[in-house]
Amino acid sequence: MAAEPGTDALTRLAAERVDHRFKGLPPDADGLTVGELAAQRRNLFTGGFATPVLALSAERLEHNLELMETYAARHGLAFAPHGKTSMAPQLFHRQIERGAWGITLAVPHQVRVARAFGVRRVFLANEVVDPAALRWIAAQLDADPDFRLVCYVDSVRGVQLMDAALRTASRPLDVVVELSAGEGARTGVRTEAECAAVADAVAGVATLRLVGVAGYEGEVPQADSAKVHAWLRQLVALAVEFDKAGRFSATEEIVVSAGGSAWFDAVADVFAQIPELSRPVLRLLRSGAYVSHDDGHYRRLTPFNRVPEEGALEPAFRLWAQVVSRPSAEQAFVNAGKRDAAHDLDLPVAQVVRRDGVERPAAGIDVTALSDQHAWLRTAPEADLEVGDWVGMGLSHPCTSFDKWPLIPLAQADGTVVDYIRTFF
């Protein structure tokens, strides 16, 4: 029986040698392969790991993967989680094993990573106008009849550039018209008339095939539930209008896609109301931050806060750092900073303190600032903190957590490290 696509590449990840490239790993593991180190099942706290070190919870990761699999199935959604969150092929494959239609990515480099690890379906949530990238995509489509890539178009000029680069391709590239989330939002076509003009431009070339419409509701200005629902209804109405006009005559199914990690409940609500069209509809959800969730931005905004009966995602990251300075009763410093912790949305949150193998809540300890290699801690009178203590911190925004750590220990609740997650940024 043939191996699953990407299996050999994943196996090669386990054969990679541990060395100075991978921060936080035990210095005495240098020279071992990642697979050999994983087989040792070292303990995160006693196995020689050096602070700072980021750990991903094995149990919470599994919980989050299962929860979103069941959520998508319950709501009749296909799922293409945004892989740019983690850029971790091992997680791509676990998501696909959990029923994902494919993986969403943002730029051609990320698609190259996914293809190197055998991903067969990619939703590229961006317009691609670079000729070198388009020629590479065309070569991938030519070489592998099972490979499917869908990407955005949002301008007539973009269609012209894509067409010029794809003239030698043996099959057309599937595209969806991106509907802007509103005036002043990010990318996308602003008006219905412009959407029709872009669709006409696609119909006028042989190198592209219009298969649907898409967008990102997270860019709706001053987003709230009513505004997001209204925009999603506009997106569905655009699909209906295009279908009535016969614009999807060349495709077997119509793609309607949206879904970040803050409003996927709204996507489920509105997509459930898509009327019957001339072809089957692929209702494609793209939320990706769920895989690790977080202790800040998405924890506050997760749709599961609004619909708790659907379940709850669990923050799966914890950054461990060590107290290296305690200059006063009100202040301490740990050895993790901007190079180690996500900080674009929220500062890390001190959660627990470990001393002599005993873990307790980080009472009276707040992270107030980050330097390059230090976190500033404000300590209240009740804070029991000494130089040498380990402080475990929760992080906000997984998209800027994964990118700082090329090899992340996957640890069980007792600290046993069972695997290492490789990232490619």
Side-chain angles (χ1 to χ4, degrees), residues 181-220:
E183 194 61 39
R186 200 164 58 187
T187 56
V189 186
R190 283 343 194 225
T191 68
E192 291 183 7
E194 289 173 309
C195 286
V198 173
D200 287 340
V202 172
V205 300
T207 55
L208 303 177
R209 180 175 71 152
L210 184 66
V211 299
V213 297
Y216 175 46
E217 75 291 340
E219 284 291 315
V220 170

Side-chain angles (χ1 to χ4, degrees), residues 22-378:
F22 306 124
K23 59 185 180 179
L25 299 192
D28 67 350
D30 279 10
L32 295 176
T33 67
V34 172
E36 289 167 344
L37 180 57
Q40 292 182 357
R41 297 176 71 85
R42 295 197 188 195
N43 188 278
L44 187 70
F45 308 110
T46 61
F49 291 85
T51 58
V53 60
L54 181 68
L56 186 62
S57 164
E59 295 89 352
R60 291 185 169 198
L61 171 64
E62 180 62 22
H63 168 84
N64 293 343
L65 290 168
E66 180 178 2
L67 183 65
M68 286 302 289
E69 176 191 18
T70 58
Y71 181 87
R74 185 183 307 126
H75 291 280
L77 299 168
F79 192 30
H82 217 316
K84 59 92 176 173
T85 299
S86 70
M87 285 309 297
Q90 292 146 290
L91 299 184
F92 295 173
H93 278 269
R94 289 186 66 171
Q95 290 168 312
I96 291 168
E97 288 165 2
R98 287 288 192 174
W101 171 91
I103 299 296
T104 296
L105 296 162
V107 291
H109 154 71
Q110 295 169 356
V111 182
R112 291 187 65 193
V113 173
R115 289 298 291 159
F117 289 87
V119 174
R120 282 177 163 166
R121 289 175 177 163
V122 170
F123 188 95
L124 180 52
N126 213 338
E127 187 170 45
V128 184
V129 295
D130 179 82
L134 287 163
R135 287 193 295 269
W136 176 83
I137 289 170
Q140 290 289 303
L141 292 169
D142 290 348
D144 184 357
D146 292 324
F147 175 48
R148 186 180 186 194
L149 185 141
V150 180
C151 73
Y152 284 170
V153 288
D154 85 340
S155 67
V156 172
R157 171 63 173 163
V159 169
Q160 293 168 347
L161 292 171
M162 296 173 80
D163 176 57
L166 292 169
R167 295 282 173 82
T168 61
S170 63
R171 58 180 168 128
L173 174 62
D174 288 347
V175 296
V176 291
V177 171
E178 182 194 7
L179 177 65
S180 170
E183 194 61 39
R186 200 164 58 187
T187 56
V189 186
R190 283 343 194 225
T191 68
E192 291 183 7
E194 289 173 309
C195 286
V198 173
D200 287 340
V202 172
V205 300
T207 55
L208 303 177
R209 180 175 71 152
L210 184 66
V211 299
V213 297
Y216 175 46
E217 75 291 340
E219 284 291 315
V220 170
Q222 288 95 41
D224 60 25
S225 182
K227 291 177 182 176
V228 169
H229 276 79
W231 178 82
L232 286 163
R233 287 192 289 271
Q234 290 178 14
L235 182 69
V236 170
L238 181 64
V240 172
E241 179 185 334
F242 276 12
D243 190 45
K244 286 180 179 177
R247 296 188 183 279
F248 299 131
S249 60
T251 185
E252 297 79 33
E253 66 179 2
I254 298 167
V255 178
V256 182
S257 181
S261 293
W263 295 104
F264 56 76
D265 57 331
V267 175
D269 288 346
V270 177
F271 280 15
Q273 301 166 28
I274 296 175
E276 185 174 347
L277 301 180
S278 64
R279 284 153 177 75
V281 177
L282 184 73
R283 298 165 170 83
L284 194 61
L285 180 70
R286 305 195 307 270
S287 312
Y290 83 97
V291 69
S292 62
H293 201 38
D294 73 357
D295 279 290
H297 181 74
Y298 287 115
R299 192 169 194 174
R300 293 190 298 270
L301 296 179
T302 175
F304 291 124
N305 291 338
R306 297 187 288 271
V307 282
E309 64 273 15
E310 296 270 20
L313 294 168
E314 297 179 352
F317 271 140
R318 182 166 281 173
L319 176 64
W320 289 96
Q322 201 164 16
V323 178
V324 293
S325 181
R326 188 78 160 101
S328 72
E330 295 79 30
Q331 195 173 44
F333 293 86
V334 294
N335 62 343
K338 293 178 181 178
R339 311 299 183 193
D340 314 298
H343 57 89
D344 58 324
L345 295 179
D346 298 293
L347 289 171
V349 178
Q351 295 177 327
V352 294
V353 175
R354 284 185 67 92
R355 183 188 303 160
D356 300 327
V358 177
E359 193 171 298
R360 52 186 167 75
I365 302 172
D366 295 301
V367 179
T368 60
L370 294 177
S371 298
D372 284 351
Q373 304 295 168
H374 293 92
W376 297 56
L377 306 184
R378 181 175 59 234

Side-chain angles (χ1 to χ4, degrees), residues 9-19 21-22 25 29 31-37 90 117 406-407 420-424:
L10 290 174
T11 300
R12 289 196 295 275
L13 286 182
E16 193 167 12
R17 296 287 173 183
V18 175
D19 58 24
R21 294 170 296 164
F22 306 124
L25 299 192
L32 295 176
T33 67
V34 172
E36 289 167 344
L37 180 57
Q90 292 146 290
F117 289 87
L407 198 60
Y420 296 83
I421 304 300
R422 185 71 159 92
T423 67
F424 293 85

